[in-house]
Amino acid sequence: MIGILGGTFDPPHNGHVALAEAALEKLGIDELVVTVVARPGHRPAIEDAATRLRLARAAFEGLPRTRVVLEERAYTVDALEEGRYGDAVFVVGGDEGVAFPRWKEPDRILELVRLAVGTRNGYRPPDLARYGDRVVSFELPSPPVSSTELRERLEAGEPVDELVPAPVARLIEAEGLYRQEPGLH
């Protein structure tokens, strides 16, 4: 079975990696495809698609049975309509699980794939009972971190080394990413 972990990854962080590791361990996934959405339909990205793809590849490079690809379609349902993943499970964190009913065509998504919602230990999974057995939940040890928090810290010049994989921290530092000063990227 294929697992799909899609997102903006602007930037990728340890929470994303923890979600991927737990999905590989707990869901019986043969291959995890991490899809970096080039132009997200729900919010603008800060860094360009090529940069976010490079960061995601650095973040997930050590995970077995995982590959990182660029997804040109802005919405999950449009990417899944192509049918290239077959019997698949779409992996999201608890925050995206809560937002799932507001996604573009959530019922159609669940006709195409199952949804696996990873929640941090001690947190209740979102109430998605209306979708029946097309949604499964699993727990994961995950640091409380968000890409928004990372961008704010980086813009303020604060370190993020403990919140992102080391290769991601090196790329962000070397390329001056997420700094709002002109000329740094």
Side-chain angles (χ1 to χ4, degrees):
M1 172 176 55
I2 292 178
I4 307 160
L5 175 58
T8 308
F9 300 106
D10 196 20
H13 53 68
N14 291 339
H16 293 131
V17 175
L19 180 61
E21 288 172 336
L24 283 164
E25 177 187 325
K26 297 182 178 189
L27 299 176
I29 293 172
D30 299 311
E31 178 186 30
L32 181 65
V33 181
V34 176
T35 61
V36 177
V37 181
R39 286 172 297 286
H42 61 295
R43 67 174 170 244
I46 304 301
E47 295 295 342
D48 62 64
T51 299
R52 291 181 291 108
L53 180 64
R54 206 168 54 254
L55 289 169
R57 286 187 170 146
F60 296 101
E61 69 185 354
L63 289 183
R65 306 183 323 272
T66 301
R67 65 185 167 102
V68 180
V69 299
L70 189 64
E71 175 55 64
E72 293 293 340
R73 282 140 217 90
Y75 294 98
T76 300
V77 69
D78 298 330
L80 295 174
E81 285 284 352
E82 290 187 356
R84 63 184 159 184
Y85 296 110
D87 178 31
V89 61
F90 198 89
V91 178
V92 298
D95 55 342
E96 284 300 316
V98 169
F100 181 73
R102 297 186 305 277
W103 286 19
K104 180 182 177 187
E105 299 183 53
D107 292 315
R108 179 64 181 141
I109 290 170
L110 293 177
E111 290 173 11
L112 298 166
V113 296
R114 284 170 288 129
L115 185 70
V117 182
T119 55
R120 290 197 305 256
N121 293 335
Y123 288 81
R124 292 175 44 118
D127 181 9
L128 298 172
R130 68 176 160 245
Y131 298 112
D133 65 357
R134 297 301 290 170
V135 177
V136 297
S137 294
F138 63 100
E139 283 192 354
L140 64 140
S142 176
V145 59
S146 73
S147 294
T148 301
E149 174 192 357
L150 284 173
R151 289 190 302 269
E152 289 170 356
R153 288 180 72 166
L154 287 164
E155 190 172 346
E158 298 173 9
V160 297
D161 295 7
E162 73 283 1
L163 302 175
V164 298
V168 172
R170 285 192 295 273
L171 279 170
I172 288 171
E173 180 63 29
E175 297 181 23
L177 302 174
Y178 300 99
R179 310 287 198 278
Q180 296 303 311
E181 300 169 32
L184 286 181
H185 56 282

